[in-house]
Amino acid sequence: MPIAHEFDYHKPKTLPEAVKLLAEYRGKAKPLAGGTDLIVWLKGGLEKPEAVVDIKALRELGRIVWKKDEALIGALITFSELIDNADVRKKLPVLWEASRTVASVGVRNRATLAGNICSAVPSLDSAPALLVYDAVVHLQGPRGKRQMPLKDFFMGPKKTALAPGELVTGVAVRIPKKKSGGCYAKLGRYAGEDLAQVGLAVLALADNTYRVAHCAVGPVARRAEKIEGLLNGKRLSDILLEEAVRLVDKEISPISDIRSSKEYRLHMTKVMLRRALWAAVNRLAGSGPVAGSSLI
Amino acid sequence: MKNISIQLKLNGVRRTLEVEPSDVLLDVLRDKLGVKSPKVGCDRGDCGSCTVFMNGKTVRSCLVLAVEADGADVVTLEGISKNGPTRLQKEFVKRNSFQCGFCAPGVILSAEEALKKHPRASDEEIKEHIAGNLCRCTGYKPILDAIKTVASGKASK
Amino acid sequence: MQKLSQKLEELTVPPISVGPAGGHRVVGKSVERIDGWEKVSGAAKFLEDLDFGPNLLYAALVESPVAHAKIKKIDVRDALKVPGVVKVVTGKDFPYKFGLYMKDRYVFAYDRVRFVGEQVAAVIAWSPKAALRGAAKVKVDYEELPIVLDPVRAIEKNATLIHPDLGNYPHVPWFFPKADTNIAHWRKTRKGDWEKGFREADAVLEDTYFVPRYAHCAIEVHAAVGLYDMSGRLTVWTASQSPFTQRNVFAEALAPLGISHKDVRVITPYVGGGFGGKAGVSMEIIGAALAMTVKGHPVKVLWNRAQEFCNTYQRQGVVAKIKMGVKKNGKITALEHSLYWDAGAYVEYGANVVNAAGLSATNPYRVDNVKIDSICIYTNLPPGGPYRGFGYSEFSFGIESHVTRMAQKIGLDPVEFRRRNHIKEGDTLPYGAHMNPNGLRESIDKVAAEIMWGSKAKSDDPKKAVGKSLVLFWKSPAMPPNAASSAFLKFNEDGSINILISGMEIGQGLLTAMAQIASEILSVPVAKIRVETPDTDRNPYEWQTVGSHVTWGCGNAVKKAALDARDQIFELVQRALHLEKDTLYLEDERVKCRTKPDFELSFASFVIAGIQTEDHTFKGGPIMGRGVFMPEFASAIGDPETGQGGHPNVHYTTGAAGLILEVDKETGKMKIRKVALAVDVGKAINPDLIRGQVVGGLLQGFATVLYEDMRYSEKGKLLNPNFSDYKIPTSLDVPEEIVPIIVEVPQPDGPFGARGVGEHTMIPTASLVANAVEDALGVRIKSMPITAEKVALTVSKG
């Protein structure tokens, strides 16, 4: 299936050059990294840019920069690179686990984490994982550089806070200071590749604080603040967990679509919250299910 | 929208050609470079029939612009058995692993990648690597069995 | 029952003894596929892999965005201005009807559209991009009409008529359309006195089951390239299961343009999956017709994946109402089975699916009092058609669910119930003919043992429950009574062989099986036999590769061709060398003689060159075998009101399948721990390839019950025309253990006793899951698919 729409192609060699190009097209140019979303949209006529700006020559975006308490994941880092990175697996296990549920190997070899968040679809697997690590988006545009917490980046389904001509240059992820255990639980229609019908990331920290984030059960992925508020400072127990489960109805706003009914999404968020919280707490204690295994 | 001249290494041979910015690598490989093993299946990255190696990793050539392949090293199924059949290919034939064979080029490249990454791949690793290649005929079992045999070192050379 | 077997035997080829010692050389052996290396090396060519040179044109379609409307006006002016566009073709260019069993379609919608996605016009251009740009510029004015999507509502009194001219449509004599309704065909099968049967029953159960539409999802999409050359002949390259049927339909449809059968040539390379979806003629007619408008240019029509979903055949949805009566001892006294088929906008093929189901919807049970109504109903959805199982996959869900429930109702073990009622050789079929020899009982017993029927399975995980089920299946090839197969077999100088057939290799391994049959008779190794895909100019006739009948039908033709070649060899050796032909036999690619152990003559020495005699002259010449097979005992004509009197089905392949299913009570997620399927194939020509059919067919079937279904909007638009939302299984979704069991009760008229097996392995899956879910959780789900969501929500509602 050919792309019937015509456009210009640029491959700038430096970041300033890229930003300048994007500015020149006044929002009518699309950046291209892995292309696994963009090219589908081009074929379907959902995007008709005047130009495509291929950012893959921007070497500075192709790195993960590790600091003591932070990893800055460059915009060209693919999901396969995250999965194959031993530090990511060790220090950011929830992101590692979520990355493994994105599409399939052949797609993950090209699809980037930054491109993923730019699509801003409600079912974004990477988002709950990034949210529990308090991720911050690094942007650069005609007005210079800026940073923005990921939770503010998502404005609505397929809508982000990206200004016209602005480029995501990377995503900074905070490495938890305390010992932690975490997991990403995903509801798909089967074990193979699927878009999440419910995605749930949980991070349990050694000080009995908890971070819970979800996707596909509301217009955007977000942290479950009410549930976190209830749990924080307490040791997990079945009684506590049931109290948390009772908050699910207030925490999420799922819809019915072709992939799942609202009813099943609600039901499964509760089931998954029970399983994911226990998995995270058990992993923190050094037991729990093997990394990467499906929790449902 | 002027044409762009690109150069790539295709199955070890340097090729130069003109493409439009909107040309997709899969179509260019098949229609302009005469390499037919990558197949058109879903054209949106779901089925894996168009799988090729690009710079050492499998990609969906239906989701790559041809211009992106400028300077790249592209290997298709035609390229992996230049020096005779691989152990995997022999095992696939022996086990009658494929039926219609349409998914075979993509499956074989994904399997080669799995074994390159994990020479002693576990059953789960094998399934994970093949999961992006849809096959409607075989129920996957004879495909997975062949890969397992090679991964366990039991395949005949 | 020996009588029946003998009768069938007489109708076909005489038994042959093979080799001096008897037994089989290669039939029954799991040899490697002869197309194996071709497919694994990337050398195998599918339609889209063929090159047509720089003169090739490309077509893009303009499709209806509405489900039912009159076409008021088509404006093509802007499209013609797009650079690269050559021509725009609309329905007015081809005012001819076509169809396989009923002529109810036009090449392009003529004056009205009847489903979303229907082809309204085509733009032909020098590049695919230009064609798409042109298609976007074609303006069509529609006047929308009321739509009807539900088959049951479509037969209500005031329903909108989808085909007001139905009464005038030509059709085969075994269809019974009702003019001025949406009923395109009504197959009635009546046997015995069902009302009396219900009165005599100790228990009666009545219920309704729902089956949605499904898509084949071959990974290769449909495509066609047509070339009407300067001499006036039409060649069409297609991805097809039915090259000769296509040639016939093309020639008939385009006859007004001066085309005759000899002018039409269909060439079909390897097919990337068929499953019935590439049977008959769907989009290929567009390729043939467009070629007629651009003489001298090949023109390509390639479906994209969304078109593949929306505008080829789909498996029809069905609403099945079942009423069954039984005695306390388990004997079925009566069955009423009414099937309301959502056949879509055109039924030229789909009506025959309805017909097949109407003849056999008892499933393989002996029922003396039967009333079956199988009703083919037009709806404003895409055309229905054949899909692996051809009606049986569809009705099996209801009937096998119902049989298990019936057994429960009288407190009888469901497997014991099946043992007491299953059909046996010689029993009278619903339409009056008699059942063929079969290994159904052996299949039941072997499957029951394999899944340890009778012992309750448990899970270690308290959240999970385990259920078991066992169901039966049968299916007959649904084919016209005169569906024929034929074969040519040619020797080459080195004694190798080329076999020409038009049975299609669609993945099932036909080419290999045919090579094995010829190898068996002629003693030439399989590796020295080449069998290739058809070209209707070169290869002899085959009706279609559908209905799991080619191993049987085409196999008989190949066997006859090989016997013909063998007889020519024996005649020649007798004539040239004066050896009695009755003393000759073939072994190791040589002619040998029972009375002269020292004599041997290699094929290579004479199969082309002939045999040189004492006077230095040569006798003989190229050895070429010819074989033709037609089931001369079949007839499709019975009483329209009862179906009695004909012999529409040549034979049934039967079997049983069992399942051990683990269900998570909270999530509804299901895991197949074990599935066993026993099928009576008569004789396994290649056991490995049969196991391939079992493993592949089971997963395709399980997908229809666990994951897939086609979802339509209220306006008739398909909502999931892609693999992102029509979920066909991946390597992560395979059963934990699959046990294929081959049963061999020979089919008297089959090659070496073989009968077909391709479709059958998909048929039992839906009811297996429904019955196992009930066994595990105590809930009965009566609509497909049985997704995790449906199970979890049913359980949570109690």
Side-chain angles (χ1 to χ4, degrees):
Chain A
M1 188 179 174
I3 299 170
H5 174 72
E6 290 184 282
F7 50 83
D8 289 326
Y9 172 83
H10 302 282
K11 192 169 182 181
K13 292 199 171 58
T14 66
L15 186 52
E17 202 189 324
V19 170
K20 187 165 161 265
L21 260 172
L22 288 168
E24 279 170 13
Y25 280 97
R26 298 164 188 279
K28 301 250 169 85
K30 293 296 286 184
L32 167 68
T36 51
D37 280 331
L38 179 61
I39 292 171
V40 175
W41 298 333
L42 289 170
K43 285 182 175 181
L46 302 170
E47 286 284 356
K48 293 185 174 177
E50 285 176 16
V52 162
V53 177
D54 188 344
I55 60 169
K56 283 192 289 296
L58 311 180
R59 294 194 162 191
E60 61 267 52
L61 306 189
R63 293 189 294 252
I64 303 178
V65 181
W66 292 93
K67 293 182 194 159
K68 192 165 163 272
D69 58 352
E70 188 188 274
L72 177 59
I73 299 166
L76 292 176
I77 293 294
T78 64
F79 283 105
S80 288
E81 286 167 329
L82 290 175
I83 294 164
D84 294 341
N85 188 304
D87 285 325
V88 171
R89 183 169 184 173
K90 200 172 135 201
K91 296 175 187 168
L92 304 166
V94 184
L95 181 60
W96 181 83
E97 200 163 65
S99 298
R100 292 182 75 252
T101 74
V102 175
S104 56
V105 174
V107 172
R108 296 199 292 259
N109 282 346
R110 288 254 299 170
T112 61
L113 178 71
N116 200 220
I117 64 165
C118 288
S119 77
V121 292
S123 61
L124 212 57
D125 289 308
S126 64
L130 291 171
L131 287 168
V132 299
Y133 290 123
D134 293 326
V136 172
V137 185
H138 287 220
L139 303 155
Q140 191 164 337
R143 295 183 183 178
K145 294 182 186 181
R146 61 177 179 141
Q147 297 182 6
M148 178 187 285
L150 182 66
K151 66 181 172 57
D152 301 329
F153 182 74
F154 298 125
M155 309 279 283
K158 300 185 188 174
K159 273 193 200 131
T160 68
L162 266 175
E166 208 171 24
L167 185 69
V168 172
T169 56
V171 183
V173 184
R174 303 270 157 78
I175 301 162
K177 289 197 184 88
K178 302 205 171 53
K179 202 177 163 229
S180 66
C183 66
Y184 178 66
K186 173 173 175 172
L187 174 65
R189 284 161 289 191
Y190 57 27
E193 165 182 356
D194 199 6
L195 297 158
Q197 285 100 62
V198 180
L200 203 60
V202 173
L203 196 65
L205 294 120
D207 60 356
N208 282 338
T209 58
Y210 302 83
R211 299 178 196 167
V212 180
H214 52 73
C215 69
V217 286
V220 295
R222 47 182 287 267
R223 288 276 284 270
E225 285 164 6
K226 296 184 186 80
I227 291 172
E228 290 180 4
L230 169 78
L231 296 173
N232 279 341
K234 298 170 193 152
R235 274 181 71 94
L236 189 68
S237 67
D238 283 331
I239 295 166
L240 180 62
L241 190 50
E242 288 316 305
E243 277 181 60
V245 165
R246 278 195 286 279
L247 289 175
V248 165
D249 290 339
K250 289 177 192 155
E251 194 76 74
I252 64 172
S253 50
I255 56 164
S256 287
D257 63 13
I258 191 163
R259 292 173 197 139
S260 173
S261 68
K262 173 184 171 171
E263 208 181 353
Y264 188 53
R265 281 191 162 104
L266 260 176
H267 170 78
M268 284 304 292
T269 305
K270 295 173 186 175
V271 171
M272 288 160 69
L273 183 64
R274 292 189 188 99
R275 297 190 188 183
L277 266 168
W278 275 124
V281 166
N282 289 336
R283 280 177 180 172
L284 173 63
S287 55
V290 180
S293 54
S294 171
L295 300 177
I296 56 168
Chain B
M1 327 297 145
K2 63 177 195 306
N3 284 2
I4 298 172
S5 176
I6 63 167
Q7 194 179 68
L8 70 159
K9 205 161 101 186
L10 175 59
N11 296 328
V13 178
R14 210 160 282 291
R15 305 283 295 265
T16 306
L17 75 157
E18 296 253 308
V19 297
E20 294 177 21
S22 62
D23 283 347
V24 172
L25 179 60
L26 171 62
D27 301 337
V28 166
L29 286 173
R30 293 175 52 81
D31 300 337
K32 294 191 177 169
L33 295 168
V35 169
K36 304 288 191 181
S37 74
K39 305 291 185 220
V40 183
C42 72
D43 248 326
R44 45 181 274 149
D46 291 329
C47 78
S49 316
C50 66
T51 301
V52 302
F53 276 106
M54 189 161 142
N55 298 327
K57 283 187 171 179
T58 60
V59 301
R60 304 290 202 238
S61 64
C62 75
L63 296 185
V64 179
L65 297 178
V67 287
E68 293 182 75
D70 188 24
D73 184 0
V74 175
V75 178
T76 66
L77 181 60
E78 288 88 344
I80 69 155
S81 48
K82 273 190 161 177
N83 304 318
T86 66
R87 279 190 302 162
L88 259 175
Q89 282 174 309
K90 284 184 197 162
E91 197 62 29
F92 284 136
V93 171
K94 201 171 131 192
R95 289 177 173 272
N96 292 320
S97 290
F98 293 101
Q99 290 182 23
C100 83
F102 194 80
C103 71
V107 168
I108 294 169
L109 294 188
S110 292
E112 294 284 354
E113 183 180 47
L115 293 182
K116 205 167 75 173
K117 244 173 130 172
H118 315 283
R120 288 283 172 267
S122 67
D123 291 2
E124 284 314 305
E125 281 166 337
I126 292 168
K127 278 188 189 173
E128 172 81 25
H129 269 266
I130 301 303
N133 293 85
L134 297 178
C135 166
R136 192 59 152 172
C137 297
T138 66
Y140 300 102
K141 191 177 178 300
I143 293 172
L144 297 172
D145 287 347
I147 306 171
K148 283 179 201 172
T149 307
V150 176
S152 66
K154 286 180 194 146
S156 47
K157 285 264 166 72
Chain C
M1 289 313 102
Q2 202 186 356
K3 227 171 153 188
L4 176 70
S5 309
Q6 273 174 356
K7 194 176 157 204
L8 285 166
E9 185 98 21
E10 284 160 18
L11 292 165
T12 62
V13 291
I16 55 156
S17 63
V18 175
H24 294 318
R25 284 185 272 247
V26 63
V27 156
K29 305 264 186 328
S30 291
V31 302
E32 285 176 9
R33 298 177 64 106
I34 62 171
D35 53 354
W37 178 240
E38 223 179 323
K39 286 176 173 174
V40 164
S41 66
K45 289 273 182 288
F46 299 86
L47 177 61
E48 245 294 270
D49 302 337
L50 306 179
D51 284 313
F52 294 92
N55 228 16
L56 177 65
L57 297 171
Y58 300 83
L61 274 288
V62 178
E63 294 153 339
S64 173
V66 292
H68 199 191
K70 284 186 179 154
I71 299 172
K72 303 298 285 182
K73 199 175 125 200
I74 303 179
D75 182 350
V76 304
R77 285 170 298 181
D78 288 350
L80 286 168
K81 288 180 200 151
V82 172
V85 167
V86 172
K87 192 164 224 160
V88 183
V89 177
T90 71
K92 297 294 174 202
D93 295 307
F94 293 99
Y96 326 122
K97 285 228 174 65
F98 77 98
L100 187 56
Y101 294 109
M102 163 142 38
K103 291 186 178 20
D104 67 351
R105 294 200 73 166
Y106 287 101
V107 178
F108 294 95
Y110 184 70
D111 51 2
R112 60 162 85 191
V113 290
R114 297 182 172 88
F115 69 94
V116 175
E118 181 166 6
Q119 64 268 28
V120 172
V123 175
I124 303 174
W126 281 105
S127 74
K129 290 179 188 176
L132 282 174
R133 288 172 197 144
K137 298 273 186 194
V138 174
K139 294 192 201 84
V140 186
D141 289 344
Y142 297 100
E143 179 189 319
E144 288 197 50
L145 296 167
I147 66 169
V148 58
L149 306 181
D150 177 341
V152 177
R153 300 192 64 174
I155 54 174
E156 285 171 3
K157 271 225 168 98
N158 298 320
T160 186
L161 281 187
I162 298 171
H163 288 267
D165 297 331
L166 173 60
N168 302 325
Y169 292 172
H171 58 81
V172 291
W174 65 87
F175 282 4
F176 308 104
K178 311 281 174 228
D180 303 316
T181 73
N182 286 319
I183 296 175
H185 173 40
W186 189 327
R187 167 53 61 191
K188 296 177 184 175
T189 301
R190 309 280 187 268
K191 188 178 101 174
D193 183 344
W194 53 94
E195 279 164 9
K196 184 163 161 269
F198 286 121
R199 282 197 301 275
E200 286 170 4
D202 295 318
V204 174
L205 179 68
E206 199 170 353
D207 216 329
T208 304
Y209 302 84
F210 298 89
V211 181
R213 287 176 164 240
Y214 289 96
H216 307 74
C217 299
I219 309 300
E220 179 201 34
V221 293
H222 281 63
V225 177
L227 169 62
Y228 184 51
D229 74 14
M230 298 313 281
S231 78
R233 81 159 311 178
L234 175 67
T235 304
V236 191
W237 290 263
T238 60
S240 170
Q241 300 174 230
S242 317
F244 271 95
T245 287
Q246 292 196 330
R247 188 182 74 159
N248 190 38
V249 172
F250 296 157
E252 282 185 355
L254 302 174
L257 297 171
I259 286 275
S260 80
H261 282 73
K262 74 166 177 30
D263 303 324
V264 183
R265 177 182 186 186
V266 175
I267 299 176
T268 312
Y270 280 123
V271 169
F275 315 113
K278 288 170 184 155
V281 172
S282 60
M283 59 78 78
E284 298 82 5
I285 192 79
I286 299 171
L290 292 183
M292 303 299 290
T293 72
V294 285
K295 198 170 186 174
H297 288 273
V299 56
K300 179 188 280 191
V301 192
L302 171 67
W303 258 196
N304 61 41
R305 183 53 64 180
Q307 289 169 317
E308 184 72 17
F309 272 102
C310 298
N311 194 0
T312 59
Y313 297 119
Q314 298 176 1
R315 195 173 110 176
Q316 300 167 135
V318 70
V319 177
K321 296 188 176 175
I322 303 177
K323 182 179 174 187
M324 185 182 271
V326 298
K327 289 280 212 193
K328 274 189 200 132
N329 65 7
K331 185 176 168 50
I332 302 173
T333 58
L335 173 70
E336 257 184 55
H337 198 166
S338 304
L339 296 155
Y340 301 86
W341 296 87
D342 156 22
Y346 303 100
V347 305
E348 47 91 24
Y349 204 145
N352 209 43
V353 176
V354 173
N355 193 69
L359 294 167
S360 302
T362 52
N363 234 24
Y365 298 100
R366 182 189 162 146
V367 190
D368 296 332
N369 306 301
V370 179
K371 177 174 186 275
I372 302 172
D373 292 279
S374 190
I375 309 169
C376 178
I377 302 164
Y378 281 120
T379 59
N380 290 116
L381 289 173
Y387 184 179
R388 196 175 198 168
F390 207 81
Y392 295 68
S393 290
E394 295 90 317
F395 75 65
S396 169
F397 173 65
I399 190 78
E400 284 297 315
S401 295
H402 209 77
V403 163
T404 288
R405 295 174 68 197
M406 203 75 246
Q408 291 163 342
K409 199 173 164 86
I410 57 165
L412 190 63
D413 175 86
V415 173
E416 182 53 30
F417 185 90
R418 286 173 167 89
R419 284 195 178 106
R420 290 187 193 177
N421 285 292
H422 75 78
I423 201 159
K424 298 181 183 70
E425 183 183 352
D427 281 351
T428 307
L429 293 158
Y431 46 84
H434 296 282
M435 181 62 186
N436 52 281
N438 67 83
L440 195 48
R441 180 54 178 258
E442 184 183 340
S443 299
I444 297 172
D445 292 344
K446 285 189 165 162
V447 169
E450 191 61 48
I451 62 165
M452 295 193 288
W453 182 260
S455 78
K456 185 82 187 155
K458 276 190 182 153
S459 172
D460 301 334
D461 185 341
K463 293 190 188 77
K464 288 175 180 164
V466 181
K468 289 185 183 178
S469 59
L470 187 152
V471 306
L472 310 189
F473 59 87
W474 73 346
K475 186 184 175 294
S476 168
M479 47 187 247
N482 55 347
S485 301
S486 51
F488 292 143
L489 183 150
K490 305 185 295 177
F491 270 98
N492 301 314
E493 290 84 338
D494 61 352
S496 66
I497 291 172
N498 285 73
I499 296 175
L500 300 182
I501 53 171
S502 294
M504 271 311 296
E505 175 59 57
I506 55 174
Q508 81 282 47
L510 177 73
L511 304 186
T512 307
M514 296 305 104
Q516 284 180 262
I517 287 172
S519 168
E520 184 64 47
I521 289 164
L522 295 168
S523 82
V524 174
V526 168
K528 286 184 77 172
I529 300 176
R530 187 174 275 281
V531 195
E532 290 187 79
T533 56
D535 166 344
T536 57
D537 261 18
R538 315 263 181 271
N539 297 35
Y541 182 85
E542 174 71 45
W543 163 63
Q544 294 199 70
T545 298
V546 297
S548 311
H549 93 292
V550 283
T551 299
W552 174 75
C554 193
N556 271 330
V558 168
K559 186 177 162 192
K560 285 183 171 187
L563 289 170
D564 183 27
R566 188 189 66 170
D567 290 348
Q568 289 174 34
I569 291 170
F570 289 165
E571 290 281 350
L572 175 61
V573 172
Q574 175 169 298
R575 189 155 62 91
L577 302 176
H578 315 298
L579 293 168
E580 276 297 318
K581 63 180 178 187
D582 293 347
T583 65
L584 301 173
Y585 65 95
L586 307 181
E587 193 175 68
D588 299 332
E589 305 172 69
R590 287 169 172 78
V591 186
K592 296 187 180 177
C593 180
R594 287 191 187 85
T595 53
K596 293 194 174 162
D598 293 341
F599 172 79
E600 61 172 51
L601 186 66
S602 80
F603 291 170
S605 72
F606 74 94
V607 286
I608 294 290
I611 298 173
Q612 196 166 27
T613 55
E614 293 110 337
D615 66 355
H616 309 299
T617 62
F618 286 85
K619 298 284 179 283
I623 302 289
M624 289 190 291
R626 165 192 173 276
V628 170
F629 176 74
M630 187 191 270
E632 293 184 347
F633 55 90
S635 148
I637 306 302
D639 174 12
E641 292 306 314
T642 65
Q644 298 296 316
H647 197 314
N649 286 339
V650 289
H651 59 256
Y652 289 84
T653 296
T654 60
L659 179 68
I660 304 177
L661 184 76
E662 185 180 83
V663 193
D664 184 317
K665 290 180 268 187
E666 289 179 352
T667 66
K669 294 266 178 192
M670 288 159 277
K671 188 177 249 180
I672 294 168
R673 278 202 190 164
K674 184 173 188 174
V675 54
L677 184 141
V679 58
D680 174 15
V681 301
K683 172 69 190 175
I685 303 289
N686 184 321
D688 202 26
L689 298 188
I690 288 171
R691 287 189 284 269
Q693 290 302 305
V694 174
V695 174
L698 280 171
L699 189 63
Q700 195 168 15
F702 283 127
T704 63
V705 58
L706 296 173
Y707 314 125
E708 301 173 8
D709 70 327
M710 302 187 98
R711 306 274 188 88
Y712 287 92
S713 75
E714 287 172 10
K715 298 258 184 195
K717 185 177 167 18
L718 183 62
L719 300 171
N720 53 342
N722 53 58
F723 292 138
S724 305
D725 284 311
Y726 188 95
K727 302 303 291 177
I728 77 170
T730 75
S731 57
L732 292 163
D733 304 292
V734 299
E736 281 180 8
E737 188 185 357
I738 306 168
V739 183
I741 300 165
I742 293 172
V743 173
E744 294 181 313
V745 174
Q747 178 62 28
D749 61 356
F752 302 97
R755 58 173 87 77
V757 64
E759 296 165 282
H760 308 80
T761 58
M762 178 162 174
I763 294 171
T765 44
S767 55
L768 273 178
V769 170
N771 291 336
V773 165
E774 198 206 34
D775 188 44
L777 304 174
V779 296
R780 170 59 59 180
I781 296 176
K782 293 180 282 191
S783 65
M784 285 173 70
I786 300 178
T787 57
E789 168 169 347
K790 204 179 274 181
V791 170
L793 295 182
T794 307
V795 170
S796 71
K797 280 172 194 157

